[in-house]
């Protein structure tokens, strides 16, 4: 029986089901409700966990780094400037190969100041060495959070679960929360082989000379690539427990007859899914939800895009002066195909601009009009700008 | 699918109203979705929230642009540009007002129902908190969900005297408001 839950509340209750031993966080909208709800569960005696209040996101990340290194299952959440302030520690957590999970309630980055949703924050730390999984709705956020702990603990890599801020975190929807026994059966107690222990001293993240640094980086890169199989397995195995699966690295709607593919990450996919299901020409279009952005699933993507004539990449971030971030990576992956689709790359919904249902038709019209769009911000109204900025 | 837009002011329980309505739908086995339009919220500032109720799961997470129903918690908001925008042809407006429904309908060219939710909530809750009274009126007018579903959603969220007073308020409104007179608007709006 599904429950009516706000996204943040659903995520908080899910984190509690994963039995974290240490949670440290600093409030920043739109993530605040998640850690507030966890703090309340701890205060009410419903979750046996050390909740550490800190004075900044840098400290929040540092506390969970230490806690996880000492062998605790740890959790934090943040967004936007909070992610940026954490970023130095995020690289350290990943570089030390410390398993933990955090939620990024995706939000735009200043300046100009915007408290609203896009994905510039998690994209800005895409090279930190974390696994990044993007969720299309709150049920997926619940299920992915549980999967994330297993992936993290099996790969010894941290996992960032990316959930669109406000658009998902503040939306109330029916949610199936799994039972404690189901989560316990999927997530055995955390046992970190390299846990800090005075009886077995070891050092982490120490100075590495040029004699070993490239090998350490190779090893980290290789671990992320190998994590693809763990992401697929976690999704399959959790589907066995819960009945809900999300396609592993990619979720695909549509079959081989499709000539146009639309690829995106996060909640925009849900809107596209509804638009496609109501559209008469739906068989000509395949939707590709990129669940795993890191590791970047090149082979799975190439397979999903076989036979497509056009591939539209929609993303909620950009690399100013270059263009799309996801779009550039997808273009590179497609360049290895014999009959690569034409790539059309757009940013949409930046800084919380609503992404309407008719985006789907707009995109199909753009493809039909011919030509190719290397990159543009699709919903930017250039009339609002002085002529020299258009 | 029914789409509803709720206008109010910070502090009037706008988001709570949207969450209660969607919760009532979910408790009745329907799909319900509720979310606010976000801003730098502060007490008294105009705020907006959205609700969708459907027979099957919806995946979309876009704003409601063409609601079949508007619920307006402060009639002064009728003077704010955009508040009535996008209402579907045949759509209805439920407003917290002591004015006459026919006069409002004539003045704004839309079909209004006016409920004096401020005075009702003052009487039952001790302060002007119009959201529960308006929800009770909405469910009675449309019969989209039984008012008992709203009572259950209230029980999930509130306790003690506050809950009891809200339940009495729902009952009072349900007897005052004509039942089912907006049922036809589902057909008119194609929902």
């Amino acid at each position: 029986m599904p429950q009516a839950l706000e996204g943040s509340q659903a995520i908080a209750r899910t984190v509690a089901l994963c039995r974290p031993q240490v949670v440290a966080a600093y409030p920043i909208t739109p993530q605040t409700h998640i850690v507030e709800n966890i703090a309340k569960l701890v205060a009410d005696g419903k979750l046996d966990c050390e909740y550490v209040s800190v004075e900044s996101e840098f400290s929040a990340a540092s506390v969970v780094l230490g806690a996880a290194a000492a062998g605790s299952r740890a959790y934090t959440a943040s967004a936007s400037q909070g992610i940026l302030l954490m970023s130095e520690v995020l690289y350290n957590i990943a570089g030390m190969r410390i398993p933990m999970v955090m939620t990024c309630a995706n939000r735009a980055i200043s300046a100009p100041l915007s408290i609203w949703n896009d994905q510039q924050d998690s994209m800005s730390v895409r090279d930190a060495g974390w696994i990044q999984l993007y969720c299309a709705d709150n049920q997926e956020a619940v299920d992915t959070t549980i999967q994330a702990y297993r992936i993290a603990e099996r790969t010894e890599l941290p996992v960032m679960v990316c959930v669109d801020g406000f658009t998902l975190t503040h939306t109330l929807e029916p949610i199936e929360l799994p039972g404690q026994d189901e989560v316990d059966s999927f997530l055995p107690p955390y046992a970190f082989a390299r846990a800090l222990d005075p009886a077995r001293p070891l050092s982490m993240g120490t100075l590495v000379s040029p004699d070993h640094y490239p090998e350490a980086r190779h090893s980290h890169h290789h671990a992320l690539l190998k994590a693809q199989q763990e992401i697929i397995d976690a999704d399959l195995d959790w589907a066995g427990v819960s009945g809900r699966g999300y396609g592993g690295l990619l979720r695909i709607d549509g079959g081989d007859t499709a000539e146009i593919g639309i690829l995106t990450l996060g909640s925009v996919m849900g809107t596209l899914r509804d638009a496609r299901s109501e559209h008469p020409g739906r068989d000509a279009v395949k939707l590709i939800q990129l669940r795993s952005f890191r590791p970047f699933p090149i082979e799975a993507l190439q397979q999903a895009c076989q036979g497509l004539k056009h591939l539209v990449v929609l993303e909620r971030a950009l690399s100013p002066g270059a263009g799309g971030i996801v779009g550039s990576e997808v273009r590179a992956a497609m360049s290895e195909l014999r009959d690569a689709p034409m790539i059309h790359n757009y940013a949409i919904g930046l800084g919380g601009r609503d992404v309407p249902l008719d985006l789907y038709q707009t995109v199909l019209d753009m493809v039909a009009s011919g030509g190719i769009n290397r990159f543009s911000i699709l919903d930017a109204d250039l009339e609002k700008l002085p002529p020299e900025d258009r | 699918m029914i789409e509803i837009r709720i206008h109010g002011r910070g502090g009037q329980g706008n988001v709570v109203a949207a969450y209660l309505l969607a919760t009532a739908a979910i408790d009745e086995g329907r799909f319900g979705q509720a979310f606010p339009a976000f801003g730098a919220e502060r007490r008294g500032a105009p705020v907006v929230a959205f609700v969708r109720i459907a027979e099957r799961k919806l995946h979309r997470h876009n704003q409601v642009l063409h609601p079949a129903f508007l619920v307006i918690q402060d009639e002064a908001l009728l003077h704010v540009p955009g508040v009535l925008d996008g209402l579907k042809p045949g759509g209805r407006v439920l407003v917290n007002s002591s004015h006459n429904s026919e006069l409002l309908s004539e003045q704004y060219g839309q079909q209004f129902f006016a409920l004096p939710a401020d005075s009702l909530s003052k009487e039952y809750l001790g302060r002007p908190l119009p959201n529960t009274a308006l929800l009770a009126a909405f469910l009675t007018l449309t019969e989209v969900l039984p008012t008992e579903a709203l009572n259950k959603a209230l029980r999930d969220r509130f306790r003690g005297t506050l809950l009891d007073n809200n339940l009495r308020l729902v009952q009072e409104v349900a007897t005052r408001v004509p039942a089912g007179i907006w049922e036809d608007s589902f057909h008119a709006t194609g929902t």
Side-chain angles (χ1 to χ4, degrees), chain A residues 1-2 4 6 115-116 136-137 166-168 170-174 270-271 273-274 278 354-357, chain B residues 19 22-23 26-27 30-36 38-40 56-63 65 157:
Chain A
M1 176 72 184
E6 187 205 24
I115 61 159
W116 292 275
D137 62 26
F166 295 119
T167 312
L168 293 181
H170 286 53
T171 291
L172 177 139
E173 287 179 321
T271 304
R273 211 168 267 152
D274 271 2
E278 291 170 8
D354 186 46
V355 178
L357 208 59
Chain B
Y19 282 5
T23 301
I26 294 165
D27 288 343
R30 318 274 275 278
F31 177 86
Q33 182 190 63
F35 54 104
F38 306 94
R56 58 173 182 85
K57 175 170 176 164
L58 298 173
H59 300 96
R60 68 197 65 182
H61 285 98
N62 56 321
Q63 292 185 358
L65 300 179
R157 195 171 272 269

Side-chain angles (χ1 to χ4, degrees), chain A residues 126-180:
Chain A
R126 67 167 187 182
D127 298 335
W130 285 56
I131 291 172
Q132 283 194 359
L133 305 175
Y134 288 76
C135 304
D137 62 26
N138 285 326
Q139 186 66 58
E140 187 175 349
V142 162
D143 293 320
T144 302
T145 300
I146 298 164
Q147 294 174 17
Y149 272 103
R150 197 180 88 164
I151 297 163
E153 291 166 14
R154 288 199 176 181
T155 60
E156 295 194 346
L157 286 165
V159 182
M160 183 180 290
V161 179
C162 300
V163 180
D164 281 322
F166 295 119
T167 312
L168 293 181
T169 58
H170 286 53
T171 291
L172 177 139
E173 287 179 321
I175 297 291
E176 297 274 3
L177 270 191
Q180 185 65 64

Side-chain angles (χ1 to χ4, degrees), chain A residues 85-386:
Chain A
L85 188 54
M86 274 185 183
S87 64
E88 182 181 340
V89 190
L90 296 181
Y91 276 76
N92 274 298
I93 292 169
M96 292 186 210
R97 302 286 308 277
I98 292 177
M100 59 161 289
V101 173
M102 77 172 290
T103 305
C104 176
N106 285 111
R107 168 184 150 180
I109 296 277
S110 298
L113 175 60
S114 165
I115 61 159
W116 292 275
N117 169 219
D118 67 30
Q119 295 169 346
Q120 195 71 47
D121 48 5
S122 51
M123 286 292 159
S124 300
V125 291
R126 67 167 187 182
D127 298 335
W130 285 56
I131 291 172
Q132 283 194 359
L133 305 175
Y134 288 76
C135 304
D137 62 26
N138 285 326
Q139 186 66 58
E140 187 175 349
V142 162
D143 293 320
T144 302
T145 300
I146 298 164
Q147 294 174 17
Y149 272 103
R150 197 180 88 164
I151 297 163
E153 291 166 14
R154 288 199 176 181
T155 60
E156 295 194 346
L157 286 165
V159 182
M160 183 180 290
V161 179
C162 300
V163 180
D164 281 322
F166 295 119
T167 312
L168 293 181
T169 58
H170 286 53
T171 291
L172 177 139
E173 287 179 321
I175 297 291
E176 297 274 3
L177 270 191
Q180 185 65 64
D181 51 335
E182 290 177 306
V183 179
D184 286 345
S185 74
F186 186 74
L187 274 185
Y190 175 47
F192 185 33
R194 291 181 287 116
L196 293 176
D197 178 356
R200 290 183 302 124
L202 61 86
S203 298
M204 288 184 187
T206 50
L207 181 72
V208 169
S209 70
D211 287 342
H212 293 292
Y213 191 85
E215 289 74 26
R217 297 296 281 164
H218 173 88
S219 160
H220 189 176
H221 173 54
H222 189 63
L224 269 148
L225 293 179
K226 271 204 307 191
Q228 291 184 72
Q229 193 57 49
E230 287 293 350
I231 295 167
I232 294 167
D233 291 348
D235 190 50
L236 277 175
D237 292 348
W238 179 244
V241 176
S242 69
R244 294 180 298 273
Y246 300 93
L249 302 165
L250 305 171
R251 177 171 165 161
I252 295 165
D253 292 74
D256 296 337
T257 55
E259 294 194 340
I260 299 170
I262 307 176
L263 179 146
T264 192
L265 353 70
S267 64
V268 170
M269 184 45 81
T271 304
L272 293 173
R273 211 168 267 152
D274 271 2
R276 178 179 176 276
S277 72
E278 291 170 8
H279 199 272
R282 69 181 76 92
D283 291 339
V285 179
K286 176 189 272 192
L287 300 179
I288 303 167
Q289 180 192 343
L290 189 62
R291 282 190 82 224
S292 173
F293 177 59
R294 285 292 180 272
F296 191 68
I298 294 176
E299 287 85 8
L301 261 176
Q302 288 174 338
Q303 203 180 342
C305 295
Q306 286 284 359
L308 292 178
K309 292 196 166 60
H310 298 273
L311 177 60
V312 183
V313 180
L314 302 172
E315 55 188 303
R316 300 185 93 163
L318 71 148
S319 178
I325 299 165
V326 184
S328 300
E329 298 193 5
V330 170
R331 189 175 279 117
M334 292 302 118
S335 70
E336 297 170 2
L337 290 181
R338 187 183 298 273
D339 294 306
M342 294 232 286
I343 312 279
H344 310 257
N345 187 196
Y346 301 97
I348 38 141
L350 300 180
R353 181 159 300 179
D354 186 46
V355 178
L357 208 59
D358 62 15
L359 166 74
Y360 182 82
Q361 187 60 52
T362 305
V363 160
L364 294 185
D365 291 346
M366 305 278 257
V367 170
S369 70
I372 191 154
N373 186 69
R374 187 178 294 151
F375 175 78
S376 64
I377 300 174
L378 181 65
D379 46 9
D381 179 2
L382 301 186
E383 297 294 316
K384 292 179 183 171
L385 292 169

